[in-house]
Amino acid sequence: MAGIELRNISKVYGGSVVAVDDISLEIKDGEFMIFLGPSGCGKSTTLRMIGGLESISKGDLLIGGKRMNDVDPADRDIAIVFQNYALYPHMTVAGNLGFGLKLRGVDRAEIERRIKAISNMMGIEALLERKPAQLSGGQRQRVALGRALVREPQAFLLDEPLSNLDAKLRAAMRTELIKLHHKVGTTIIHVTHDQIEAMTMGQRICIMKDGHIVQVGAPLDVYRNPANTFVAGFLASPPMNLLAGRLEGIGGGDLHALAGAARLPIPDAFRAGYASHAGTTITVGLRPEDFHLAPLAGRSTPVAVRTVAIELLGPEVILVAELGGAGGPEIQARMPRDFLARPGAELTLHYDLTQIHLFDGQSGNVLARPQIA
């Protein structure tokens, strides 16, 4: 196993198209790191540079402390699992698992030992004589992972390996990948645009946008303390409600965040951090789960809403409503599973003020205040 370090890495195509721009990141030995971001943000390009499938325009890549910029992909001791699995259609599952080892000159007995061990681990021992066309999507995904595992590499690079699976199978395979990491303890870098995968699987998330790293941290730390409106609006589903507003100073040092007709008093603990921004335009960030049907003693404020629609999801209901009443900015709020409201119904919700986020109205960067525990 080995740690991976990116030092001021850039990738430029054709001399002018910048896909990755001067990023630095250290991935610890044995860490499960998620690269998260929308299409075109540079996450797959970064993964391919680590694997040696893309050249590095600028900067240094270190694996296990050794510079790898000019090392052939085959000599980096890294296994890659692609979105389309890339299995050899004319070979059996056993043939696919052992092909890479055969090319490396591993003796037959050792190849058979590894195939047996990995097929048992992945639950595909009954499939060894089948060909890829005879397998389901989930089975092909397991074979692709098994082919990477059988090599016993320093690190695994996973490029959206779950994106071709249906929702139920994706959920099952997320669990399998977590269990697999616990078993083998090898460094894993997993590229995805799926927020659920990022939150549930990774020990840390690296969020990317337009070729830059925006924020890196443990999933819950990033979720609770987003660096800017991009992270706040991208992570989680439904995402944070982001509303154009203004921060107003009231007599006695009180502060209120205004969003449409809604007026949200700033908690005492946050005033020192926000006081210097009084009188400025802001973006108010309100998580859907921080709206409640009943008051929270000492920390909530009532807000009027007008129902637009409800989404019945089974374990919960998503309320879509206009904040402050008719014509106000639209928000989403998580409600209990037995919640019902007709379109046009006017309600009073209670927002947990200890969870409010304020962002600079121009830059979108978060306004500093004590972190949420």
Side-chain angles (χ1 to χ4, degrees):
M1 296 188 292
I4 298 171
E5 185 177 357
L6 285 66
R7 294 181 180 173
N8 305 109
I9 295 286
S10 294
K11 176 63 183 179
V12 182
Y13 293 101
S16 59
V17 179
V18 180
V20 176
D21 189 10
D22 194 33
I23 65 171
S24 295
L25 179 67
E26 186 174 352
I27 301 163
K28 299 172 184 140
D29 184 9
E31 184 173 21
F32 199 140
M33 171 67 78
I34 302 288
F35 284 0
L36 175 68
S39 297
C41 71
K43 57 189 187 295
S44 289
T45 301
T46 302
L47 192 84
R48 291 174 65 85
M49 286 192 286
I50 294 171
L53 303 181
E54 293 280 1
S55 61
I56 295 172
S57 303
K58 175 186 170 187
D60 294 309
L61 169 69
L62 283 75
I63 300 176
K66 298 179 180 178
R67 188 176 184 273
M68 290 287 174
N69 291 45
D70 303 314
V71 175
D72 190 87
D75 298 324
R76 297 190 184 196
D77 195 19
I78 285 178
I80 306 177
V81 178
F82 296 101
Q83 181 177 348
N84 62 2
Y85 314 134
L87 300 176
Y88 298 109
H90 63 288
M91 291 185 183
T92 64
V93 168
N96 270 280
L97 292 176
F99 184 67
L101 299 177
K102 186 177 179 181
L103 287 180
R104 287 169 173 77
V106 178
D107 68 75
R108 185 181 183 87
E110 176 63 12
I111 291 175
E112 291 179 355
R113 183 195 70 77
R114 293 198 198 179
I115 289 175
K116 183 178 179 180
I118 294 301
S119 62
N120 287 337
M121 179 188 295
M122 300 301 297
I124 55 174
E125 58 270 26
L127 309 177
L128 291 177
E129 298 308 314
R130 297 188 191 180
K131 291 186 177 180
Q134 299 171 298
L135 305 177
S136 67
Q139 289 169 335
R140 292 180 192 179
Q141 202 261 3
R142 287 172 184 265
V143 173
L145 285 170
R147 184 174 61 182
L149 284 166
V150 79
R151 287 180 46 196
E152 299 178 357
Q154 294 188 87
F156 297 104
L157 308 182
L158 312 180
D159 192 2
E160 304 207 43
L162 310 184
S163 61
N164 290 333
L165 306 180
D166 61 55
K168 183 177 180 180
L169 191 52
R170 284 181 77 150
M173 290 310 301
R174 286 199 302 267
T175 302
E176 290 300 316
L177 280 172
I178 295 168
K179 288 161 60 178
L180 178 63
H181 182 251
H182 289 161
K183 284 181 183 178
V184 300
T186 307
T187 306
I188 296 178
I189 305 175
H190 181 119
V191 164
T192 183
H193 61 269
D194 187 293
Q195 299 96 328
I196 295 175
E197 285 181 27
M199 289 295 296
T200 58
M201 294 173 64
Q203 293 170 311
R204 282 197 300 159
I205 303 175
C206 172
I207 299 180
M208 298 185 67
K209 178 188 179 187
D210 299 332
H212 297 274
I213 292 176
V214 180
Q215 188 170 0
V216 180
L220 280 179
D221 287 342
V222 175
Y223 175 79
R224 290 169 175 162
N225 300 286
N228 56 30
T229 51
F230 172 76
V231 175
F234 189 78
L235 197 60
S237 180
M240 182 183 288
N241 299 293
L242 297 170
L243 312 172
R246 185 174 181 82
L247 186 63
E248 281 197 354
I250 312 295
D254 289 348
L255 294 172
H256 282 193
L258 307 182
R263 180 179 290 268
L264 304 167
I266 300 300
D268 293 349
F270 298 165
R271 286 180 191 169
Y274 289 155
S276 63
H277 302 282
T280 64
T281 58
I282 57 171
T283 297
V284 182
L286 310 174
R287 288 270 184 211
E289 59 270 32
D290 296 323
F291 290 93
H292 302 271
L293 292 174
L296 304 175
R299 70 175 202 262
S300 66
T301 190
V303 290
V305 300
R306 181 178 182 274
T307 304
V308 174
I310 60 171
E311 300 175 6
L312 304 174
L313 301 181
E316 65 180 358
V317 173
I318 304 299
L319 167 66
V320 182
E322 294 169 317
L323 185 65
E330 201 168 277
I331 62 160
Q332 296 184 78
R334 293 184 187 273
M335 295 286 106
R337 59 186 174 185
D338 58 353
F339 174 85
L340 287 174
R342 293 181 178 178
E346 298 194 358
L347 310 169
T348 297
L349 301 181
H350 299 269
Y351 183 75
D352 184 352
L353 293 169
T354 66
Q355 305 300 314
I356 194 169
H357 294 72
L358 302 185
F359 303 88
D360 184 272
Q362 300 300 317
S363 69
N365 292 331
V366 70
L367 302 184
R369 52 140 183 146
Q371 286 201 340
I372 296 170

